Amino acid sequence: MDVFKIMVENLEWINGEKDDPNDLCLHGDAVAKIGEEIFEYSATVSATALYLLKTLTQDHIINEENQMLPCCGHFMIPNDDLTNVDIYGCPNGIDWTVLHDGDNIKLITESGRETVISLDEYQKEVFRFADKIEDFYKECSPKNLSNEYERDCYYAFWNEWHKRRKE
């Protein structure tokens, strides 16, 4: 039985369309199964995927930063060399803690329940989810990046994504 699973359906852009070259953030109906708990949320799943990729090498503490299933991610700040990006949104969403414990990952939900999964199994599930999101982007039209700042944000997003996907 899977102790951690994250799925998404109804991938679309904020306007409800299956393609929008002006929207950088992908949305969908996400379902996360952590232990015996199931969390469902209509989230900005492009941000979720990047946050999950970050947790492969970094701990994430509940309610200290972004939510793992964020409502939105409408503001991005790239670092100077465009290798990482911080994504900010509203305070709405669903969150949980991700802690590294040797070769395992400990997931702690808002209820306080703890679930342990091997890092290898966790990585497989994160990669599966992230690959599904990236595949959707690849099927869509190229993005219209209207200014240098937007371009830098978008490039930093994908640069960090691909760096973390290879780790």
Side-chain angles (χ1 to χ4, degrees):
M1 181 183 229
D2 296 321
V3 295
F4 174 68
K5 188 87 172 157
I6 186 158
M7 299 143 295
V8 64
E9 295 180 349
N10 303 319
L11 291 172
E12 61 188 18
W13 305 101
I14 196 70
N15 64 7
E17 299 294 323
K18 294 297 179 189
D19 193 9
D20 183 354
N22 297 311
D23 191 349
L24 305 182
C25 301
L26 185 60
H27 297 263
D29 296 326
V31 178
K33 179 188 178 295
I34 301 172
E36 297 301 316
E37 296 179 271
I38 295 180
F39 304 94
E40 298 180 51
Y41 197 73
S42 186
T44 303
V45 293
S46 51
T48 294
L50 184 60
Y51 298 159
L52 287 168
L53 288 166
K54 288 181 185 215
T55 66
L56 294 174
T57 57
Q58 303 173 159
D59 290 345
H60 170 83
I61 306 301
I62 196 169
N63 299 322
E64 284 192 6
E65 296 177 21
N66 53 58
Q67 307 89 3
M68 295 303 292
L69 299 178
C71 170
C72 54
H74 58 271
F75 187 66
M76 295 189 283
I77 301 175
N79 67 350
D80 290 339
D81 64 358
L82 306 182
T83 57
N84 291 300
V85 65
D86 290 320
I87 303 172
Y88 299 95
C90 72
N92 300 323
I94 295 176
D95 204 8
W96 58 84
T97 291
V98 181
L99 298 175
H100 290 256
D101 185 17
D103 291 334
N104 292 314
I105 295 290
K106 184 185 296 186
L107 305 170
I108 307 170
T109 63
E110 287 190 20
S111 70
R113 290 184 180 166
E114 296 184 11
T115 300
V116 177
I117 183 173
S118 74
L119 177 58
D120 287 342
E121 289 301 311
Y122 182 76
Q123 181 182 53
K124 286 177 190 173
E125 185 62 13
V126 168
F127 282 172
R128 189 196 58 73
F129 182 83
D131 291 349
K132 182 173 184 173
I133 301 304
E134 185 173 12
D135 288 346
F136 191 88
Y137 272 88
K138 288 177 180 178
E139 293 172 9
C140 291
S141 303
K143 296 299 176 188
N144 295 327
L145 304 172
S146 61
N147 59 56
E148 184 178 349
Y149 185 77
E150 191 173 75
R151 179 190 57 83
D152 287 352
C153 291
Y154 193 69
Y155 287 167
F157 175 86
W158 286 109
N159 287 339
E160 181 173 3
W161 181 297
H162 292 132
K163 174 184 72 174
R164 292 182 180 282
R165 177 61 180 87
K166 291 178 183 175
E167 291 180 349

